[in-house]
């Protein structure tokens, strides 16, 4: 814990910037050396040839030195935002321990949470080492698209890249910064810093998608390298947690098994992302592997041009590896249904599956406050992330698209808390909601009459009312039907029961939610 507290992300970021500048300077020197090797044809012979060969060798050595600086700089930039997130989590744990009157090290109630945090700290350390090891391998003879992009951009001091905004910069300011760049600078930034461009709220979805896709293969190689290291460590242990050596038993209860489990889940998350993107017409707007579970946001349709945009926030128990593909199919159907509600012209609709938070879990999750679905802590941590995402979409667009949040179950709490802080949203649908984060609908910064509730029969979660009271009894919410019905054209709609079928295509609930997304709810609701 002391090591984590002592790691300084600001200093690491400064080091990354300085190393990148050193790399550019060494590149410039290497260019001067190579240019000087011709000697302006002033002489010839064996000595000339020997000198030319020596200068060429010096140039190659300098180029290799520049690349070494650049590799370490890129690794440092990879670590910085993840380290900031770990610092924030440590600070929250320390604050909670202080409220209870204990040092964090001595607080037994928070011991498991602290242990989980330290597992991820160790994982980040391993991941950074694996990234350096992977990036130190010689380049392949066949260049991929990303390599060609790098090669096409000169790296001398004459093409110094613009300074990137801090990850915590307001999305409006990020959008203003991006709009002030030319296409060459934007392309270079995506190529050189995909891990930062992909994470910046306020940038166009197309740029974030390009950057995040560029990370997928590298992240997979990095995680597989980490998994290999952890498996090797576990192979030396007895029962997956105890090292046996000639002198006896040592290394009791190491974190390698927990680290391997998390790493494998993240690899599975990358599998799910790849499978989802393979459908086409998808944008990978967020990718974050720094937490306990992988986080991502995937859109169907073009977020940069859609006139209507739905942002679906799933609930407790949701993971990228376990649920992204199923949710993506449902939001794709929701998008198609919303288009059917719209008439005239060519209706443009996009829908996002926003799994960019650490959703709480049942079972063992109940033992940890920040993972428990009966606590709002996970929602309070997630809400600012959703606020920035929504504000970022609005800031990145020159026009004003209609944005609708669709929060299911615990996701209704997350979206409700976010809507108290952002004015970017035009309508909200709370689905199977155990609460909406407030007991007063006017707290939501959306137009009056734009908040909707859907609750199916036998949905016991929706009746809990844990977070701000049972929303079924709140004034200001328009209730959408979940029972059997028909469309205005006479097409039958199936009714649903329980907690998990609200977005199933062909149901009354999905049809009416699509009407809200399209802005035609008054026509789609009996």
């Amino acid at each position: 814990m002391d090591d984590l507290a002592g790691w300084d992300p600001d200093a690491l970021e400064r080091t990354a910037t300085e190393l990148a500048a050193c790399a550019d300077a060494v590149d410039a020197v290497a260019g001067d050396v190579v240019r000087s090797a011709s000697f302006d044809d002033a002489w010839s012979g064996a000595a000339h040839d020997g000198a030319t060969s020596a200068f060429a060798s010096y140039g190659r050595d300098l180029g290799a030195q520049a690349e070494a600086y650049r590799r370490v700089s890129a690794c440092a930039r990879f670590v910085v935002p993840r380290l900031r997130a770990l610092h924030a989590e440590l600070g929250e744990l320390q604050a909670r321990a202080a409220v209870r009157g204990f040092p964090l090290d001595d607080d037994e109630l928070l011991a498991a949470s602290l242990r989980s945090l330290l597992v991820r700290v160790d994982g980040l350390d391993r991941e950074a080492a694996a990234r350096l090891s992977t990036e130190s391998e010689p380049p392949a003879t066949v260049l991929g698209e990303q390599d060609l992009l790098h090669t096409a951009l000169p790296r001398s001091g004459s093409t110094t890249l613009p300074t990137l905004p801090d990850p915590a910069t307001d999305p409006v300011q990020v959008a203003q910064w991006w709009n002030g760049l030319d296409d060459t600078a934007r392309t270079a930034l995506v190529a050189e810093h995909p891990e930062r461009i992909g994470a910046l709220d306020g940038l166009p979805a197309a740029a974030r998608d390009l950057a995040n896709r560029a990370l997928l293969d590298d992240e997979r190689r990095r995680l597989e390298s980490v998994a290999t290291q952890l498996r090797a460590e576990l192979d030396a242990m007895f029962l997956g947690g105890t090292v046996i050596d000639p002198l006896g038993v040592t290394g009791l209860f190491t974190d390698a098994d927990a680290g391997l489990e998390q790493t494998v889940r993240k690899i599975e998350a990358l599998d799910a992302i790849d499978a989802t993107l393979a459908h086409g017409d998808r944008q990978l707007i967020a990718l974050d592997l720094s937490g306990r579970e992988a986080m991502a946001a995937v859109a169907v349709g073009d977020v940069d041009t859609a006139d209507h945009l739905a942002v679906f926030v799933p609930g407790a128990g949701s993971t990228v590896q376990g649920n992204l593909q199923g949710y993506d199919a449902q939001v794709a159907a929701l998008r198609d249904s919303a288009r059917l509600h719209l008439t005239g012209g060519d209706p443009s609709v996009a829908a996002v599956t926003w799994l960019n938070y650490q959703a709480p879990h049942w079972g063992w999750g109940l033992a940890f406050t920040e993972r428990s679905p009966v606590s709002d802590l996970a929602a309070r941590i997630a809400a600012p992330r959703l606020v920035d995402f929504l504000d970022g979409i609005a800031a990145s667009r020159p026009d004003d698209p209609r944005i609708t949040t669709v929060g299911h179950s615990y996701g209704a709490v997350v979206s409700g808390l976010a809507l108290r802080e952002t004015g970017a949203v035009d309508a909200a649908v709370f689905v199977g909601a155990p609460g909406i984060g407030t007991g007063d609908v006017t707290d939501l910064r959306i137009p009056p009459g734009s908040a909707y509730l859907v609750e199916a029969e036998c949905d016991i979660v929706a009746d809990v009312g844990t977070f701000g009271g049972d929303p079924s009894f709140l004034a200001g919410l328009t209730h959408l039907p979940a029972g059997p019905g028909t469309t205005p054209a006479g097409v039958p709609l199936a009714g649903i029961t329980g907690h998990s079928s609200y977005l199933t295509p062909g149901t009354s609930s999905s049809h009416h939610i699509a009407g809200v997304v399209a802005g035609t709810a008054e026509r789609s609701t009996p």
Side-chain angles (χ1 to χ4, degrees):
M1 185 179 73
D2 291 340
D3 286 342
L4 172 60
W7 293 346
D8 185 346
D10 293 330
L12 188 59
E13 187 162 34
R14 289 193 297 271
T15 298
T17 301
E18 291 167 2
L19 284 173
C22 287
D24 288 340
V26 173
D27 266 341
V29 173
D32 292 340
V33 169
V34 172
R35 284 189 293 272
S36 300
S38 66
F39 303 106
D40 295 324
D41 297 324
W43 59 311
S44 61
H48 170 273
D49 294 343
T52 300
S53 177
F55 271 67
S57 177
Y58 297 153
R60 287 193 297 272
D61 290 344
L62 287 168
Q65 186 65 52
E67 284 303 311
Y69 288 149
R70 196 166 280 114
R71 282 197 303 271
V72 178
S73 174
C75 182
R77 291 193 185 282
F78 165 81
V79 169
V80 166
R82 292 159 174 80
L83 182 56
R84 291 191 198 280
L86 292 169
H87 266 196
E89 190 169 342
L90 176 63
E92 180 156 355
L93 288 176
Q94 289 172 326
R96 289 167 57 193
V99 169
R100 289 167 43 78
F102 294 103
L104 180 56
D105 285 342
D106 298 332
D107 194 324
E108 295 182 0
L109 183 64
L110 299 178
S113 297
L114 178 60
R115 177 179 172 80
S116 172
L117 173 63
L118 295 180
V119 167
R120 280 177 280 131
V121 171
D122 180 66
L124 178 60
D125 185 41
R126 293 174 187 271
E127 289 172 7
R131 176 172 284 262
L132 284 173
S133 175
T134 300
E135 292 179 349
S136 298
E137 296 173 358
T141 54
V142 179
L143 295 177
E145 179 180 347
Q146 191 67 17
D147 300 308
L148 290 171
L149 185 58
H150 278 265
T151 329
L153 298 168
R155 284 176 166 168
S156 67
S158 61
T159 57
T160 302
L161 294 178
T163 301
L164 281 154
D166 184 271
T169 303
D170 183 88
V172 173
Q173 295 177 324
V174 171
Q176 291 170 346
W177 166 80
W178 183 259
N179 291 336
L181 304 177
D182 59 28
D183 288 341
T184 299
R186 292 172 182 170
T187 302
L189 286 167
V190 171
E192 294 289 338
H193 303 293
E195 74 287 349
R196 298 190 65 188
I197 294 298
L200 274 177
D201 292 308
L203 298 190
R208 299 182 68 175
D209 175 58
L210 182 62
N212 286 322
R213 286 177 188 255
L215 294 173
L216 290 173
D217 287 343
D218 285 346
E219 289 294 281
R220 182 179 295 278
R221 285 192 294 268
R222 175 181 60 79
L223 289 170
E224 288 175 345
S225 177
V226 172
T228 298
Q229 294 176 15
L230 291 170
R231 287 190 181 102
E233 184 175 325
L234 286 168
D235 284 344
M237 299 178 185
F238 176 68
L239 297 180
T242 305
V243 176
I244 303 294
D245 65 18
L247 300 179
V249 179
T250 60
L252 285 169
F253 306 116
T254 70
D255 291 330
D257 50 354
L260 178 60
E261 183 182 356
Q262 287 187 4
T263 303
V264 169
R265 289 202 304 266
K266 290 177 182 179
I267 294 172
E268 292 171 349
L270 293 180
D271 293 339
I273 291 170
D274 285 340
T276 302
L277 297 179
H279 291 298
D281 195 21
R282 299 298 193 275
Q283 292 176 319
L284 180 57
I285 310 178
L287 176 66
D288 187 344
L289 303 179
S290 65
R292 181 181 65 258
E293 298 285 351
M295 296 177 281
V298 178
V300 53
D302 190 343
V303 171
D304 293 328
T305 61
D307 299 316
H308 303 264
L309 177 65
V311 179
F312 172 55
V313 184
S318 300
T319 63
V320 173
Q321 64 272 20
N323 303 101
L324 175 61
Q325 293 182 74
Y327 287 150
D328 176 77
Q330 290 185 335
V331 300
L334 179 69
R335 175 210 187 196
D336 292 341
S337 181
R339 295 179 68 177
L340 293 176
H341 282 276
L342 296 163
T343 58
D346 181 19
S348 176
V349 184
V352 179
T353 301
W354 194 81
L355 271 166
N356 198 27
Y357 81 108
Q358 297 288 303
H361 288 265
W362 299 99
W364 284 106
L366 292 169
F368 308 98
T369 305
E370 75 277 11
R371 303 187 203 175
S372 172
V374 299
S375 164
D376 69 349
L377 179 56
R380 288 192 286 109
I381 294 172
R385 296 174 67 94
L386 182 57
V387 168
D388 286 345
F389 181 77
L390 296 167
D391 285 347
I393 291 174
S396 69
R397 296 279 300 264
D399 52 359
D400 184 22
R402 175 182 171 84
I403 300 176
T404 301
T405 57
V406 181
H408 174 238
S409 192
Y410 196 86
V413 184
V414 175
S415 59
L417 290 173
L419 292 177
R420 300 179 66 167
E421 305 298 330
T422 177
V425 174
D426 299 279
V429 186
F430 301 103
V431 181
I436 62 171
T438 178
D440 186 347
V441 174
T442 62
D443 288 340
L444 309 180
R445 294 176 58 190
I446 57 177
S450 298
Y452 297 84
L453 181 72
V454 191
E455 181 177 330
E457 289 187 12
C458 303
D459 185 346
I460 59 174
V461 175
D463 290 325
V464 171
T466 306
F467 309 103
D470 186 343
S472 298
F473 301 101
L474 293 182
L477 286 171
T478 299
H479 291 243
L480 298 176
T486 59
T487 69
V491 177
L493 297 169
I496 62 169
T497 59
H499 187 61
S500 304
S501 303
Y502 288 96
L503 292 184
T504 300
T507 60
S508 179
S509 55
S510 66
H511 171 78
H512 293 295
I513 293 169
V516 177
V517 173
T520 63
E522 66 280 2
R523 296 203 298 271
S524 63
T525 305

